[in-house]
Amino acid sequence: MPKLTNNTDISQKIVLIDGVCNLCVAVVHFILKNEKNHDIKFASIQDSIGAKSMQKYGLAKDDLSSVVLIKNNQIYQYSDAALEISKDLKAPWSLLSYFRFLPKPIRDFFYNIIATNRYKIFGKKDSCFMPTAELKKRFL
């Protein structure tokens, strides 16, 4: 399993999520079910690897306001992360990536409405999501 250190070059795809958010956990399950190549890894921002990843890329390790995608050592956040992740999904979900034509402020406006209200709408767990034994290899 890859370990993240300050010297590590991450060229894979890693999705960092809020591990206690029901919506975020549902998104992880959706990605697992619909991704093309089954090569996306996941980590909770609250976990040590997720926190180190956030810190490595200059993000506040306690910032739970966005899903974060690390892909080929680039950071994607907010609607950019969602649209970039959609590129790795099977059709028809991959078509969502074409919404990049919308201006980022508009995309992020709608993203932030959902992100800000996600606990109210979808709920929150008392502790981070724990993957099944079968899925553990996909989590850092």
Side-chain angles (χ1 to χ4, degrees):
M1 211 176 283
K3 297 289 184 208
L4 246 148
T5 66
N6 289 337
N7 300 331
T8 303
D9 180 45
I10 299 297
S11 58
Q12 60 188 356
K13 300 169 208 163
I14 301 171
V15 174
L16 303 175
I17 62 152
D18 175 356
V20 299
C21 169
N22 287 334
L23 173 62
C24 301
V25 172
V27 167
V28 168
H29 286 289
F30 180 82
I31 292 169
L32 287 166
K33 181 179 175 185
N34 292 289
E35 65 182 317
K36 293 177 199 170
N37 299 319
H38 304 286
D39 60 350
I40 298 173
K41 303 285 187 190
F42 302 90
S44 168
I45 293 170
Q46 293 94 335
D47 186 4
S48 63
I49 290 178
K52 284 180 188 176
S53 300
M54 296 284 282
Q55 189 175 21
K56 175 182 177 173
Y57 288 95
L59 305 172
K61 63 182 178 179
D62 58 348
D63 181 4
L64 304 175
S65 64
S66 174
V67 65
V68 175
L69 171 66
I70 303 170
K71 185 175 180 181
N72 298 323
N73 282 316
Q74 277 193 294
I75 289 290
Y76 299 88
Q77 289 182 276
Y78 306 102
S79 63
D80 287 339
L83 295 176
E84 193 65 28
I85 290 167
S86 72
K87 289 180 181 180
D88 292 310
L89 301 178
K90 298 173 194 169
W93 305 111
S94 59
L95 298 175
L96 292 172
S97 66
Y98 291 108
F99 278 95
R100 194 172 290 276
F101 78 88
L102 292 172
K104 182 173 174 47
I106 293 171
R107 289 186 281 124
D108 284 348
F109 173 78
F110 289 106
Y111 181 97
N112 287 327
I113 289 173
I114 295 168
T116 302
N117 295 294
R118 70 187 186 278
Y119 293 150
K120 289 180 208 165
I121 299 168
F122 300 99
K124 180 178 175 181
K125 298 179 181 310
D126 292 330
S127 60
C128 283
F129 162 73
M130 294 301 294
T132 63
E134 177 184 319
L135 295 178
K136 276 192 177 191
K137 64 183 178 214
R138 302 292 301 281
F139 288 78
L140 304 177

